[in-house]
Every structure is written in structure tokens, then in C-alpha cells.
Amino acid sequence: MTKWKLTFELVPEECWGGNLRSILSPTQWDIIRKDAYKRAGYQCRICGAKGRLEAHEVWDYDEKRALQKLTDVVALCKDCHEVKHISRTQLVGRGMEAMEHFMRVNDCSQMEFHAELQRVNDEYKKRNKIEGWTTDMSWLKERIK
């Protein structure tokens, strides 16, 4: 468990490419994302920002069973969503903005930002050594009929 309100989420490489938006029909995806926005009161679930929201998939990882399990889809503002996907955000040249947002939301220093990023990267490297990940999307069963 982390002490940070806003965290990074690095998906093991073997699990890349299977986001819900690409798997579900447009109608099913709309049901899921609009439900997330409604449950969040139409504001970012992390920082409370109002305005345009994005849907973010929340996954749990059971390393012993090599299981990636969908546990929620939450409403996030663009800035929080960029922090969640920090590697991609850095690749598109918005790493500085993401770092500043992380520090503002978590009321922390740049050194704490880098320490947490290193911790998550170490976890990511460990998970990437695991082979044969399976995905559990049973969370969707109650939401899409």
C-alpha cells in the first residue's frame, strides 16, 4: 500500500495492448465510462477537478498466480491520468507537467516524486520477469449485460 493519493501504474509488458476501449464495443465502453463519471460525481476521483474526464482502468496484480484482475474503472482528469501512465506521458514530452501535478496533489517534493517513481519501476521490472499472465475481467459481468 502506498501513502500517496496519486500514484503511478505500470502494467507488465506481457499485459500491454488489452485495454477495455479496444476490447469492448463503442456502446459497451460508453456504458462503462459514463458509469465511472457518474459514480465520481462528475469530478476527478483523485484531485477533484471538474470538467472533461477520462476513464481509467484499475488492475490488481497477483504475482504468485500471474493474474491481472480488473477491479474498477474510475473517472480521472487528464492530469491525473497522465501521472497514472507516466511512461507514456514522458514519451510524449509531458513528464515535467506530470511531475508537477504529482507533487501538487500529493504535497511532496521532487525527491519524493523520484523515489516513488523508482519504487514503482522496480515493481514493474519484477513483474516483467513473470511469464504467462492471465487476465480476469469478471468485474465487467455486472456492468455489461
Side-chain angles (χ1 to χ4, degrees):
M1 196 74 174
T2 181
K3 67 179 184 176
W4 305 115
K5 184 176 180 178
L6 175 57
T7 60
F8 310 110
E9 294 178 16
L10 303 181
V11 175
E13 290 178 23
E14 195 176 305
C15 301
W16 288 2
N19 67 34
L20 292 182
R21 189 175 187 171
S22 66
I23 294 169
L24 299 175
S25 73
T27 301
Q28 291 171 322
W29 176 242
D30 273 351
I31 290 168
I32 296 298
R33 71 179 181 83
K34 288 177 181 178
D35 177 63
Y37 304 158
K38 183 179 178 182
R39 287 184 290 122
Y42 301 96
Q43 63 186 31
C44 179
R45 190 97 171 258
I46 296 173
C47 74
K50 294 182 180 175
R52 186 176 182 279
L53 297 172
E54 300 177 357
H56 173 71
E57 300 162 27
V58 180
W59 299 91
D60 278 346
Y61 296 92
D62 181 337
E63 294 168 5
K64 290 181 179 155
R65 297 184 332 171
L67 178 67
Q68 174 193 36
K69 182 176 183 175
L70 180 66
T71 60
D72 204 354
V73 174
V74 297
L76 299 181
C77 67
K78 180 181 188 259
D79 292 337
C80 284
H81 206 190
E82 285 185 332
V83 170
K84 290 288 187 185
H85 298 288
I86 190 68
S87 295
R88 181 189 181 284
T89 301
Q90 290 170 331
L91 283 174
V92 299
R94 291 193 39 84
M96 186 63 71
E97 293 86 348
M99 178 181 70
E100 290 169 357
H101 189 69
F102 179 95
M103 293 186 312
R104 185 172 43 257
V105 169
N106 290 313
D107 191 26
C108 70
S109 69
Q110 188 172 351
M111 186 164 60
E112 289 171 307
F113 166 86
H114 287 294
E116 179 62 6
L117 186 55
Q118 182 63 55
R119 185 193 70 74
V120 171
N121 271 310
D122 290 345
E123 184 178 80
Y124 170 74
K125 289 174 189 172
K126 185 173 105 179
R127 287 184 180 152
N128 276 329
K129 292 178 182 173
I130 300 169
E131 295 180 3
W133 285 95
T134 56
T135 301
D136 176 347
M137 292 196 206
S138 58
W139 179 88
L140 288 171
K141 287 181 184 171
E142 293 298 315
R143 285 147 186 91
I144 298 178
K145 308 228 175 193

